[in-house]
Amino acid sequence: MDTQLILICLGIMGKGMLGIFTVILAVWGLVALLNRVTGKRKDP
């Protein structure tokens, strides 16, 4: 087994997982923002 190749592959996988995590956080933040803006208003 080529250890150098495995380390390169782990780096590529890490970047991909970081990208997926970033997109999930962005979608979560957008949903939270939309909930605050369009949330139901309680009338007294």
Side-chain angles (χ1 to χ4, degrees):
M1 286 184 20
D2 190 7
T3 314
Q4 188 66 26
L5 183 61
I6 291 173
L7 290 176
I8 291 171
C9 290
L10 283 175
I12 293 171
M13 279 194 322
K15 288 178 187 176
M17 292 176 79
L18 181 64
I20 291 170
F21 184 69
T22 304
V23 169
I24 289 173
L25 280 179
V27 169
W28 174 76
L30 183 62
V31 169
L33 179 67
L34 286 173
N35 265 343
R36 283 185 184 229
V37 170
T38 63
K40 293 181 182 177
R41 310 254 185 230
K42 292 185 179 180
D43 292 331

